Amino acid sequence: MTVRLLIAGILVGCGPAEDDIVARVGTNPISSNMLRTFVEELPEGLHVQETGDVARRLYLQDIIDRHLMLIEAQARELDTTQAVSAVVSAAVDGRVRNLYRARKMTSKKEITLEDGRRYFVSEGFDWERKLTAILLENRTQIEAALAELKAGRGFEDIARAQSLDKAAAAKGGELGWVGRDMAQRLYIPQEVFIDLPTGQVSEPLPVGNRWHLVRFTEKRSASYEKYRQVIELRMRAERKKQLAEEHFEQLEATFGIQLVMDGLKELVAAYRQRTPEVLADSPTPLYVYDQGEFNVGEAQQTLKPLKAAQALVDGDRAKAIAILQKYILRPFLLQEAARRAGIYDEPDIKRFAADYREDVVLETLRKGAVSQRATLSEEEVRQYYDDHLEMFFHQSSIWVEELLLPTAAAAQDARKQLEAGAKFEELASFSLRPGAVEGKAKFHFHALEKVRYPRLVPAIWEAKQGRLIGPLELESGFSIFKVFKREEGTVEAFANAKRRARGLLRRQQEEDVFQTLIGTLRKRYADQIEIFEEGLRAALPDSLVGAD
């Protein structure tokens, strides 16, 4: 289905005045305003290359084709199927829940300077502590190191001899000054950062799959302004969560919600016996409320596709109640509250439901048409690859080792560690860049990614190979990087490109089948299409489509 045809769906529901019609498909009018808005709002890359009357016809045809597909879908009664209705209902419910949350569960209270400073002190942001640590591979090793400490061996001595963080090990395990926020990023729990006495060694703490012992050697006051943004973000999130909890409690009380233990037992038993399919049609009430009930079968319909539901297998009742609260009860409370507030009946929601139903129906029609495509042979895929080598050409790229740190100070500290001999991968756990740990802090960038990384990519392209660069301030933090390899553009080998070639060929075949369907519908319903040429020219003046 073409992108322009999909976008046309946003506009086809507009009701035109009778004297403002540029075309009619069956009983469905297409207005001048509808067509003009469609063209004006199209992204630049989707405008047709043609001009004048040809362009006018092409744009109009997109809207006509959508109407033809709807007529065909209705003829096949696709718009009344249970599957379509279920998809539409789920989308509408999601839209309504979000709208209700935005209206009723969002705090409008501003965070004052006094509020922020109070939080700054009460949550331990007002101090920074100098951190030393010993990082080891597993629990057994860290317990042995702790035993050595208790036997009198020095912390610095063990760190130098055993710690996996070589840069810190060279300095007796010292990692520098950290605040509460950075401490949490380093896998140091809040209570340890706040309560561990200066000079005392912590109990073993997990660091992903590794373990460490930490110790704070000094303490100093921190600046409120340094942490102001972090504090305000945390306060907003906490207020939002608290407001939601209070509102959910209020809704439960208002609706008289009660969990039915027989329903809970039935659901937990079925999962414990690994036979949740028996719950599909269960009428047993799971929750009752002032206007009805929510049964086990309805709950299972929601739980069935969720991975979280597998946690019900162990039969833990408390865990089951928590899962049901998150995935069943609270969504229901939002929807029921929205229904009683009349949100489902609001014009915007009804319009969304109608538009979304049309989109789902059209996609169902398209999928039905392309589902009969033949299996692609190896020879066909190879021929497609050979005929479209330009599609498998990889632009030149540059490989870098990179760390993205939250503050300039943290980035400067990382640079010092790197200059002292630390490896990027040893510091990867401190990086904010997704995939840093898994990729050992190695990334590759293409020139085209400048749109996504407007400051980082140009800097990488200008950098000399092997030279440490940074800190470079970005929108998302401060980057330290080093270029270690440049790759020239090459055509990907067929063995590596085969899967993508198959997908592209299949997509092309689906588009060919879809265009065949559109051609068939244009012929089948030709007698239902009426176009008013004068209205068409007025709707799309030369300023929009160019002159012939």
Side-chain angles (χ1 to χ4, degrees):
M1 196 181 303
T2 67
V3 177
R4 287 206 312 274
L5 192 150
L6 285 172
I7 293 175
I10 301 172
L11 306 168
V12 294
C14 303
E18 194 64 28
D19 60 350
D20 192 27
I21 296 174
V22 297
R24 192 187 303 276
V25 183
T27 60
N28 300 298
I30 300 173
S31 74
S32 172
N33 182 61
M34 179 193 303
L35 179 60
R36 183 166 51 253
T37 303
F38 166 57
V39 175
E40 289 174 341
E41 294 188 358
L42 270 179
E44 188 64 32
L46 294 180
H47 284 278
V48 301
Q49 298 300 311
E50 294 80 0
T51 59
D53 286 341
V54 175
R56 292 181 180 95
R57 280 282 189 155
L58 289 173
Y59 287 129
L60 177 61
Q61 192 65 56
D62 285 325
I63 300 179
I64 289 174
D65 288 344
R66 184 178 175 95
H67 280 297
L68 295 178
M69 290 183 69
L70 288 170
I71 291 173
E72 179 67 12
Q74 289 165 0
R76 299 186 189 187
E77 299 184 337
L78 297 179
D79 57 327
T80 61
T81 64
Q82 185 175 357
V84 167
S85 295
V87 171
V88 174
S89 293
V92 172
D93 287 343
R95 174 66 66 94
V96 165
R97 288 196 301 268
N98 289 337
L99 187 57
Y100 183 87
R101 277 184 176 275
R103 292 180 182 177
K104 303 292 186 179
M105 301 170 73
T106 301
S107 175
K108 296 180 175 59
K109 184 180 178 182
E110 289 295 323
I111 295 174
T112 66
L113 181 61
E114 182 181 354
D115 291 336
R117 288 191 175 279
R118 189 181 302 114
Y119 189 93
F120 173 66
V121 173
S122 66
E123 296 299 312
F125 283 92
D126 56 334
W127 293 101
E128 292 179 332
R129 310 187 72 181
K130 183 174 281 189
L131 171 66
T132 57
I134 299 170
L135 177 66
L136 296 175
E137 197 66 51
N138 54 52
R139 180 67 184 258
T140 301
Q141 292 176 352
I142 209 73
E143 292 283 5
L146 184 59
E148 290 187 71
L149 287 169
K150 291 179 178 179
R153 187 176 178 186
F155 190 98
E156 293 83 356
D157 185 28
I158 297 175
R160 288 190 180 95
Q162 301 181 29
S163 183
L164 298 175
D165 187 339
K166 299 305 179 186
K171 298 183 289 184
E174 184 178 311
L175 289 167
W177 291 96
V178 298
R180 188 195 130 171
D181 192 52
M182 178 57 76
Q184 286 185 289
R185 295 177 187 274
L186 298 178
Y187 299 92
I188 300 172
Q190 174 185 342
E191 59 272 16
V192 173
F193 177 77
I194 293 175
D195 298 332
L196 185 67
T198 299
Q200 183 173 314
V201 179
S202 72
E203 292 298 312
L205 301 171
V207 184
N209 294 325
R210 295 174 172 178
W211 291 79
H212 66 176
L213 298 169
V214 303
R215 180 187 64 169
F216 299 109
T217 58
E218 295 182 52
K219 186 177 182 180
R220 70 182 183 188
S221 298
S223 162
Y224 173 70
E225 289 303 321
K226 181 176 180 179
Y227 295 100
R228 182 171 185 166
Q229 185 176 11
V230 172
I231 287 170
E232 290 181 355
L233 286 173
R234 290 174 67 99
M235 290 183 70
R236 288 191 184 96
E238 290 176 11
R239 283 183 179 180
K240 182 178 180 180
K241 182 178 180 180
Q242 181 181 356
L243 183 62
E245 291 295 330
E246 293 172 353
H247 198 83
F248 279 125
E249 289 179 8
Q250 179 184 339
L251 292 178
E252 285 191 44
T254 300
F255 299 162
I257 294 286
Q258 292 184 0
L259 175 64
V260 179
M261 297 310 296
D262 287 345
L264 178 63
K265 291 176 182 176
E266 179 181 329
L267 187 143
V268 171
Y271 272 91
R272 187 169 56 240
Q273 296 165 15
R274 300 182 185 277
T275 58
E277 64 276 3
V278 304
L279 302 173
D281 299 316
S282 173
T284 307
L286 182 61
Y287 292 102
V288 294
Y289 61 106
D290 59 351
Q291 294 185 13
E293 65 182 39
F294 194 99
N295 64 44
V296 171
E298 293 171 309
Q300 174 57 15
Q301 186 176 354
T302 299
L303 293 171
K304 185 177 179 180
L306 300 178
K307 289 183 180 179
Q310 296 308 309
L312 297 169
V313 170
D314 63 13
D316 186 302
R317 184 173 294 183
K319 186 183 294 183
I321 292 174
I323 291 172
L324 292 176
Q325 181 188 65
K326 179 176 181 179
Y327 295 104
I328 304 298
L329 178 58
R330 290 193 166 179
F332 168 76
L333 288 172
L334 292 172
Q335 289 162 208
E336 181 64 16
R339 182 184 67 80
R340 298 188 188 193
I343 295 178
Y344 278 94
D345 296 322
E346 292 179 1
D348 284 349
I349 295 298
K350 287 187 173 295
R351 191 179 305 114
F352 170 79
D355 291 344
Y356 196 83
R357 178 175 290 276
E358 286 188 358
D359 289 341
V360 174
V361 166
L362 294 184
E363 180 60 13
T364 303
L365 178 63
R366 187 197 69 82
K367 284 184 176 180
V370 304
S371 63
Q372 304 303 317
R373 64 183 183 276
T375 302
L376 297 175
S377 68
E378 187 83 0
E379 292 73 20
E380 288 175 312
V381 175
R382 178 69 202 218
Q383 188 61 53
Y384 181 87
Y385 168 84
D386 289 338
D387 292 343
H388 300 84
L389 289 177
E390 73 282 356
M391 299 181 68
F392 303 96
F393 179 79
H394 288 281
Q395 300 287 335
S396 59
S397 62
I398 297 179
W399 282 88
V400 300
E401 293 181 291
E402 191 248 8
L403 301 172
L404 180 64
L405 288 308
T407 66
Q412 286 287 4
D413 185 61
R415 177 170 181 129
K416 290 178 182 177
Q417 293 185 53
L418 292 167
E419 290 173 338
K423 296 179 180 179
F424 275 85
E425 65 180 275
E426 294 171 349
L427 305 179
S429 61
F430 303 140
S431 180
L432 303 180
R433 180 83 61 199
V437 174
E438 296 81 356
K440 297 182 178 180
K442 293 179 173 65
F443 302 91
H444 78 283
F445 294 88
H446 297 89
L448 294 177
E449 291 182 283
K450 180 179 178 181
V451 175
R452 184 177 180 186
Y453 305 107
R455 296 201 65 193
L456 179 60
V457 169
I460 288 173
W461 247 252
E462 293 175 4
K464 291 185 177 181
Q465 190 163 324
R467 178 174 294 180
L468 189 61
I469 304 296
L472 174 67
E473 185 174 2
L474 309 175
E475 289 186 2
S476 50
F478 294 80
S479 176
I480 303 286
F481 69 86
K482 180 190 293 184
V483 173
F484 69 89
K485 185 168 68 173
R486 297 177 185 270
E487 293 180 341
E488 297 301 321
T490 57
V491 175
E492 187 176 7
F494 176 69
N496 297 327
K498 182 166 60 176
R499 182 175 180 181
R500 189 159 67 93
R502 185 181 297 277
L504 291 169
L505 178 55
R506 177 168 286 115
R507 191 181 305 167
Q508 178 181 298
Q509 287 190 340
E510 289 179 355
E511 182 62 21
D512 292 343
V513 171
F514 175 71
Q515 292 302 329
T516 299
L517 170 65
I518 291 296
T520 299
L521 297 182
R522 289 173 183 174
K523 293 178 182 178
R524 181 176 298 164
Y525 299 110
D527 61 343
Q528 297 191 39
I529 302 172
E530 187 177 8
I531 297 174
F532 308 105
E533 296 291 347
E534 290 303 318
L536 180 56
R537 294 190 187 94
L540 299 179
D542 289 348
S543 60
L544 272 181
V545 298
D548 285 320

